[in-house]
Amino acid sequence: MTRKQRRAAFIAIGLAILALAVGLVLYAMRDNIVFFHSPSDVVEREVAPGQRIRLGGLVEAGSVETLADGAARFAVTDMVETIRVTYRGILPDLFREGQGVVAEGVLLEDGSFAADTVLAKHDETYMPPEVVDALKRTGNWQGEGAEASHAETYGQGAYP
């Protein structure tokens, strides 16, 4: 084996080991990677049922129900699309209608969402950055830097 052939074999073995390492890391992380989607993203990108995602938006006014078995049902909207969410557990203290929420779980065959984690905003002015981006993309952002104020768009004191 010539010196040039040994060098080529060393590089090929090094690349194979590197590819194997990257493959193992990606395989180990595949269950931990959860992407954020707004309700419009879920509809546009046709998210497959059973895929684990984070669903973010605003809790639709008048949609929160407490079921007999202790589960809660509510709707998450980005003012374009709305998805019904079912959650079994204790909702965060700051969870309420008209506020930003991020729910983590799976999309079901019927188009509803089964959440196993619900995160509500932390204070009056905080909104998850993913929700802000989603609202800005759909043209419904009413916060700082918005083209029209909340009152101009929805009327004084109106939803959301």
Side-chain angles (χ1 to χ4, degrees), residues 3 8 10 27 32 34 37 45 50 105 108-109 116 128 130:
R3 185 175 176 175
F10 179 74
Y27 180 76
N32 295 328
V34 180
H37 295 278
R45 297 180 184 170
L108 303 177
E109 292 285 340
D116 53 29
E130 296 93 349

Side-chain angles (χ1 to χ4, degrees), residues 125 132 136 141-150:
T125 57
V132 171
K136 284 180 178 177
W141 174 244
Q142 300 300 312
E144 186 176 321
E147 293 178 14
S149 71
H150 174 84

